[in-house]
Amino acid sequence: MNDRERESLEALSDRLYDNRLSAEEERRLAVALADPNNRAFFVEAMTFQTALRKAGMANSASGWSEKKNRKVRRRMAMWPPLAAAAGLLAALGIGLWLSQTSFDLPAPQGIVARAESAQGSVFGVMDDVPERRALKAGDSILAGMRIETGKDGSVALAWLDNTARLALAGNSKLETRNGKPVFLQQGALTATVAPQPADRRFAVETPNARAVVIGTRFELVAATDLTRLTVAEGEIELTDLARDVSVRVSAGLGSVVTPRAPPSVFPMGTTDGLLALYLFNESRGTTVFDVSGIGTPVNLTIGNPENTEWRTNSLRVTGSANIRSGGDAEKIRRAMLNNGALTTEAWLRSDWRETGSHRMLLYKWRFENELSLTVSYLDQYAHVPVSELHRHLKHTIKTQQYGTAFLDDKRASSVVNLFVDGAYTMTTTAGKPNFFASQAARRRAPEYVLAPTPDAYELQQGVQKWSGELLAVALYGRELSASEIRENYETGRRRYDTSPGPVE
Amino acid sequence: MESMSSAANRDELIQRFTRERYVLEGYIASIVRDRHLAEDVYQDVALEAMRCLDRYNPERDWRAWIYGIARNKAKQALSRTSRLQPLPEEPLQELIDLAYAEQSDERMDALTRTHAWLHDCLRAVPESLVPLIRMRYWDNLAFKTIGAKVGKSAGSIQVALSRVRLALMECIQKKRVAELEVSA
C-alpha cells in the first residue's frame, strides 16, 4: 500500500463518515477493500475518524472561532509567492500548510486541557468573540480559551500533559494562554500541580500577581486589586507584579498581594467557608481591609485610632479601639442566615502575659446591618442590643467557635464552644450573654484553660482593658471541626511565636 | 463454562464494550454515515447487549456477537431515518463487515487507544491549522463555509485537512508502535 493509495483510502473513509461518497467513490472504495491490507487500514481510519470527531467540543459552533479564523486568513494573506502562481494556488497553499505540519517540531499547543467535570453555568469564550458556549465534561480546552463560571458553576480541568489539575470555583474567569501562565482574571481556583523543571514551571497570573508553582496544591483567589494565595502542599513563589517583590509560600501558609502593602506570609489553614480575613498589615490609616477576596469586602474602620498603633504586620491596641465595619456586612449576615453557624479565629499577642500569640475567644461580633469588632472592654459584651436578626436566628444558630459571636440574645437557644490554642475549653449556651463573667460558666467548665492565666482571668472578669497586638482574624461562615481548629492552630503556631514567657 | 450472565462476565463485557467504543462506533458510522446517529446506535447496542446477555453463548466470538447486534441496530436506525440512504448491501457492506471481522484481537486492542494518542498528537498540530480542524470536525462546518471564513477555496481546505488527518494518523501509528515496543 503506497502513500497515494493510503491517502485515497483515508479520504474515502472521511467522506463515507459524512455520507459524501458519490456512486463512483463507493465503487472505488469497494475495489480498494478487496485488498486485506486496505481493509486493515480502513478499520484504523474509521476508528480515527470517530476519535477525531469526538476530540473537540461537541456543542461548539463556529461563532467563537471568528478571531482565530481571522488570524488564519491574515496568515494566508501573507503568502504573496502563492498568489504569483495563480494556477497552482490551491496546491501550493496546501504545500505551505503541510510544511507546517511536521509534528516532530515543537509546535504551539492547540488543545491544552480537558474538562473533567462541569457543574452549573460554565462557559468557554474564545478571544474577543462575545458569544459564549457551554462547557461540559469531556470538552477540550483550547489555548487562548477563557473559561467563565457563573455563580452556581464550577469546572475541573486536567492538563493533557498531566502537569496540572485546576478546579475553578463559581464567579471566576480563567484564561489559558499559549506557552504562558494561565491567567486568573477573577474568582478562585484550587490546583494540584506536579513538580516541573525550573525552566518550565507551571504558573498562574492574576491582574496584580504571579504564582510560580514549585509543585504543590494551592488555592488562588483574584478580586479587585487583590490576590490571595493559600498553599496546602509544596511551595509557591508569589510575585507582586507592581512592586516586583516575591515571597515564597510553603504548605500551611498564605499570602496576599494588594496595592496597600508588600506581600507578607501568614499562617493559613483551611479556607473552606472563609468569609473575611484581616491581616492588620496596612501599616497606616484607619482602615483594616478584608483581604479574603470573597464577595464584597467587609472592611473595618478603627473608631478610636488614638488607642491603636500600627506595627509591622500587626495592630497594637492600647485602649478602646472600636473597630467596626463602615457599612453593611451583608455576606457575613447572609452566611449566618444560610448556615446558622460562625467561627472566628483570632491571633493576638497579649500585653498581660508574655504568652506569645494565642488563638482564643476574644472578640464579639455583633450582627445588625454592620459588623463590629470590639477589642477593648470585654464587659461591653453585656450591652449589645438584641436585634431583629438575632430574634430571627434564635432557633437556628449553633455556633461553634474559638472566637465569639453575637449570642447575646437571651431567648436564643444557641451554643458557643470556645477553643483556646487549638484546644476545646468550654461551652456556653445563650441566655448567658456575658458568659465571660459568668461564674456559673466557669464552674461548668473547670478545665477552662484560660482560667489559670492572668489574661484569661481578666478577660473573664471583664473589668480591665485589654491591650496587645492583633495579628490576624479570620471569619468562617460555618462550624470548623475540632480537628480543623487543631490543625489551624498547629499551622499558625509554627509561624507565630507561641512559646509561653515568664509570668509577671 | 461460566455463564456470561454472571456479574463478572457482565463487568467484563461492559469493560470490553467501553474500551472498544471508538472502533465499534466507526463500524456503525460506516453503515449509518452520520456521526450523531452512530452515537445513538452505539447506545442502543449497549442496551441490547445487556438485555440479551443471558442468551449469549460464551463459546461464540464476542466480537462477532456484538458487531452483529450493531449491524442490526444500525440498519433499524437507517430504516427509521428517511434523510439517510441505506448502504447498498453488495459488495461494499460485506467488505466492510469482513474488514472488521478479520482483524485480530491484538490489532483491535491496539486501536482502542486511538483517541488517547490522538489527543497527544493534536497538541502538536500547528496553531494555524487548529481552527480548520475545529470548524470541520467539531463545529461540523462544510468545506465551502470554512473556505469562505479563511479566504480559501473549499477544495484547498479539503485537501489540506486530508493531509493533516494523514499526519495525525501517522503520529498515532508511531505512538502505537512505540507503546508496543515498550510493552515488548
Side-chain angles (χ1 to χ4, degrees):
Chain A
M1 189 177 186
N2 60 36
D3 288 348
R4 188 184 177 89
E5 290 171 332
R6 184 183 172 89
E7 185 178 336
S8 172
L9 188 52
E10 193 281 333
L12 289 172
S13 69
D14 183 63
R15 294 178 66 77
L16 172 69
Y17 213 107
D18 293 332
N19 200 24
R20 291 184 290 115
L21 280 182
S22 67
E24 168 61 17
E25 287 169 331
E26 285 205 14
R27 191 190 63 77
R28 280 174 46 207
L29 180 57
V31 169
L33 293 185
D35 183 325
N37 290 330
N38 288 352
R39 288 200 294 272
F41 179 79
F42 175 80
V43 173
E44 184 180 335
M46 291 301 285
T47 305
F48 164 75
Q49 297 285 351
T50 303
L52 181 61
R53 283 160 175 79
K54 287 179 176 293
M57 303 175 63
N59 287 337
S60 68
S62 58
W64 67 0
S65 307
E66 281 302 319
K67 186 171 180 183
K68 289 274 184 182
N69 296 341
R70 283 199 295 274
K71 285 182 182 174
V72 173
R73 197 179 301 130
R74 280 200 298 274
R75 283 180 188 162
M76 291 179 172
M78 294 168 64
W79 297 349
L82 305 183
L88 297 174
L89 181 62
L92 286 175
I94 294 158
L96 189 59
W97 275 355
L98 289 175
S99 70
Q100 301 175 38
T101 60
S102 173
F103 292 175
D104 296 330
L105 295 175
Q109 297 179 356
I111 301 173
V112 295
R114 193 176 311 141
E116 282 194 330
S117 65
Q119 283 86 37
S121 305
V122 183
F123 301 96
V125 183
M126 287 300 290
D127 299 323
D128 59 349
V129 178
E131 187 180 2
R132 303 191 303 176
R133 295 292 173 185
L135 277 179
K136 64 182 189 313
D139 284 347
S140 296
I141 307 301
L142 306 177
M145 179 183 288
R146 189 169 70 250
I147 300 138
E148 298 182 355
T149 58
K151 186 178 179 182
D152 64 334
S154 64
V155 60
L157 307 174
W159 258 241
L160 292 189
D161 57 5
N162 295 321
T163 55
R165 292 185 74 254
L166 304 185
L168 195 62
N171 279 335
S172 298
K173 292 181 180 177
L174 178 80
E175 183 177 331
T176 60
R177 300 188 293 190
N178 234 339
K180 296 178 181 177
V182 297
F183 180 63
L184 180 64
Q185 184 178 344
Q186 71 172 53
L189 64 78
T190 55
T192 303
V193 180
Q196 298 294 309
D199 60 338
R200 287 191 285 119
R201 281 184 175 142
F202 193 87
V204 184
E205 281 191 353
T206 68
N208 68 340
R210 180 191 304 121
V212 177
V213 182
I214 316 293
T216 188
R217 281 194 304 121
F218 67 96
E219 178 191 60
L220 196 65
V221 175
T224 306
D225 289 339
L226 168 75
T227 297
R228 177 173 59 79
L229 169 72
T230 308
V231 179
E233 286 179 14
E235 192 174 38
I236 298 269
E237 182 178 276
L238 184 69
T239 301
D240 181 336
L241 295 176
R243 294 182 175 84
D244 196 22
V245 172
S246 298
V247 292
R248 286 227 167 183
V249 187
S250 53
L253 301 177
S255 188
V256 172
V257 174
T258 73
R260 298 177 291 275
S264 59
V265 176
F266 55 88
M268 194 75 229
T270 180
T271 56
D272 183 15
L274 184 68
L275 277 180
L277 178 64
Y278 305 98
L279 294 179
F280 302 99
N281 63 350
E282 285 76 6
S283 301
R284 63 180 181 275
T286 56
T287 303
V288 181
F289 290 92
D290 171 7
V291 293
S292 66
I294 308 295
T296 304
V298 178
N299 299 327
L300 305 176
T301 301
I302 304 171
N304 302 329
E306 66 275 16
N307 289 334
T308 64
E309 178 188 346
W310 286 109
R311 299 279 179 87
T312 302
N313 295 326
S314 71
L315 177 67
R316 177 167 171 71
V317 175
T318 55
S320 173
N322 190 22
I323 302 172
R324 61 172 56 216
S325 67
D328 189 0
E330 172 65 19
K331 66 175 178 181
I332 297 170
R333 193 156 52 89
R334 186 168 297 281
M336 288 168 52
L337 284 166
N338 291 338
N339 303 330
L342 185 76
T343 301
T344 303
E345 172 183 324
W347 288 90
L348 59 93
R349 186 174 289 122
S350 171
D351 284 350
W352 294 336
R353 188 189 179 205
E354 295 300 326
T355 53
S357 300
H358 283 288
R359 172 176 295 172
M360 62 173 64
L361 179 69
L362 178 63
Y363 306 134
K364 68 183 187 334
W365 298 90
R366 183 172 51 156
F367 294 92
E368 293 167 90
N369 284 326
E370 68 173 23
L371 171 67
S372 71
L373 169 61
T374 304
V375 296
S376 56
Y377 293 100
L378 269 294
D379 55 355
Q380 285 182 3
Y381 191 84
H383 306 305
V384 176
V386 176
S387 69
E388 287 299 315
L389 176 64
H390 294 158
R391 280 196 286 275
H392 181 72
L393 295 171
K394 65 182 179 181
H395 295 302
T396 58
I397 289 181
K398 180 186 176 204
T399 299
Q400 180 179 20
Q401 58 185 20
Y402 48 123
T404 183
F406 47 87
L407 300 172
D408 52 347
D409 183 348
K410 295 180 180 179
R411 293 163 298 179
S413 56
S414 304
V415 174
V416 176
N417 292 319
L418 173 66
F419 288 72
V420 177
D421 291 347
Y424 169 79
T425 57
M426 64 174 286
T427 297
T428 186
T429 56
K432 307 293 182 193
N434 195 6
F435 75 89
F436 290 106
S438 165
Q439 295 297 321
R442 289 163 64 184
R443 282 196 298 273
R444 282 199 305 273
E447 72 279 21
Y448 186 30
V449 296
L450 280 182
T453 65
D455 50 349
Y457 178 79
E458 299 295 339
L459 291 174
Q460 283 186 322
Q461 292 300 311
V463 296
Q464 186 173 334
K465 289 180 182 178
W466 180 83
S467 64
E469 287 179 57
L470 302 174
L471 302 169
V473 172
L475 194 62
Y476 297 85
R478 67 180 181 94
E479 284 185 87
L480 265 64
S481 68
S483 61
E484 285 177 312
I485 292 170
R486 186 70 198 170
E487 286 173 14
N488 273 15
Y489 175 71
E490 291 299 330
T491 298
R493 190 173 61 86
R494 287 192 291 271
R495 188 69 184 177
Y496 295 135
D497 175 21
T498 59
S499 56
V503 178
E504 294 175 354
Chain B
M1 187 173 287
E2 187 183 10
S3 168
M4 273 295 283
S5 61
S6 69
N9 285 342
R10 178 181 293 267
D11 289 347
E12 184 189 345
L13 176 68
I14 292 171
Q15 284 177 11
R16 292 182 72 171
F17 191 78
T18 305
R19 195 168 62 240
E20 213 161 290
R21 170 171 191 159
Y22 289 85
V23 187
L24 179 57
E25 210 169 300
Y27 170 71
I28 295 168
S30 75
I31 302 173
V32 301
R33 305 182 184 188
D34 179 282
R35 58 189 290 185
H36 302 299
L37 188 56
E39 287 179 2
D40 293 345
V41 170
Y42 173 83
Q43 301 295 337
D44 289 345
V45 174
L47 293 174
E48 183 70 7
M50 287 296 115
R51 197 175 66 79
C52 300
L53 198 59
D54 290 339
R55 296 203 299 272
Y56 172 71
N57 177 3
E59 293 182 359
R60 187 182 171 193
D61 177 62
W62 174 84
R63 190 166 287 111
W65 178 63
I66 207 74
Y67 277 70
I69 295 175
R71 188 185 309 113
N72 292 334
K73 285 292 176 186
K75 288 180 178 176
Q76 287 171 15
L78 275 180
S79 67
R80 293 193 301 265
T81 310
S82 59
R83 65 190 170 86
L84 296 170
Q85 295 299 316
L87 186 69
E89 283 294 322
E90 300 289 346
L92 188 52
Q93 180 64 70
E94 285 187 0
L95 286 166
I96 291 174
D97 289 347
L98 176 62
Y100 281 83
E102 70 187 3
Q103 303 306 312
S104 66
D105 284 349
E106 290 75 17
R107 177 161 175 76
M108 288 298 223
D109 284 344
L111 293 179
T112 58
R113 297 257 299 137
T114 297
H115 62 289
W117 291 318
L118 175 63
H119 271 290
D120 289 343
C121 293
L122 278 171
R123 296 183 63 236
V125 172
E127 192 181 13
S128 60
L129 294 175
V130 170
L132 302 184
I133 295 173
R134 182 171 64 240
M135 284 187 280
R136 176 66 196 126
Y137 295 108
W138 306 345
D139 296 349
N140 210 23
L141 298 185
F143 294 113
K144 188 177 178 181
T145 308
I146 299 169
K149 283 178 178 289
V150 300
K152 298 295 290 183
S153 71
S156 61
I157 299 291
Q158 194 169 342
V159 179
L161 279 171
S162 171
R163 299 295 171 89
V164 173
R165 290 196 311 270
L166 283 167
L168 284 170
M169 286 188 71
E170 189 174 343
C171 173
I172 291 168
Q173 171 71 13
K174 284 179 182 174
K175 288 182 180 295
R176 185 183 303 135
V177 170
E179 187 164 292
L180 286 172
E181 287 173 351
V182 168
S183 61

